[in-house]
Amino acid sequence: MTDTTASKAVPAAECTDMSQVRAAIDGLDTLIVSLLAERMRYIEAAARIKPARDTVRDDVRKAEVVAHAVKVANDRGFPPKLAYRLYDMLVEGSIAHEFDVFDARDPS
């Protein structure tokens, strides 16, 4: 949520109608997608920095990222199984994007 949206959002436990719930979810979705876009800039940086195409996929690192997300989810009261599925898909999509960016690099 932006600072303005965050200050206007009604806490979930205090919502009394669906318009409050929907407004808060919309604000959170804006924040989540904004953070995912920022995360993707780091994926693009990795594609720029990595020296060889065969270093793009790192299954050990993928497992660490997913495990970290599951732990954070568990600690914050988010369903760990859902976090696993979301992060598995997010990391696979990020790897695919990193390959695209790596392959588009100027070889000179």
Side-chain angles (χ1 to χ4, degrees):
M1 284 183 272
T2 64
D3 290 336
T4 329
T5 308
S7 63
K8 293 180 185 179
V10 176
E14 296 174 22
C15 288
T16 57
D17 63 61
M18 285 307 298
S19 66
Q20 294 170 324
V21 170
R22 290 176 179 146
I25 288 172
D26 289 348
L28 287 168
D29 286 343
T30 297
L31 179 59
I32 291 165
V33 173
S34 297
L35 289 171
L36 288 170
E38 183 177 351
R39 184 185 192 283
M40 199 57 71
R41 302 300 75 84
Y42 287 97
I43 298 302
E44 292 163 356
R48 176 177 42 82
I49 293 167
K50 288 183 179 177
R53 192 176 195 279
D54 66 352
T55 62
V56 170
R57 175 173 282 282
D58 182 344
D59 288 324
V60 171
R61 177 62 181 150
K62 176 187 173 185
E64 292 169 352
V65 170
V66 173
H68 175 73
V70 169
K71 181 188 180 317
V72 171
N74 196 50
D75 293 347
R76 305 273 171 96
F78 185 85
K81 288 180 183 179
L82 179 56
Y84 177 88
R85 290 192 307 270
L86 289 170
Y87 265 78
D88 186 66
M89 183 174 27
L90 174 62
V91 174
E92 283 300 321
S94 297
I95 291 167
H97 182 67
E98 188 176 338
F99 272 120
D100 290 344
V101 173
F102 188 93
D103 291 342
R105 290 186 347 185
D106 184 359
S108 56

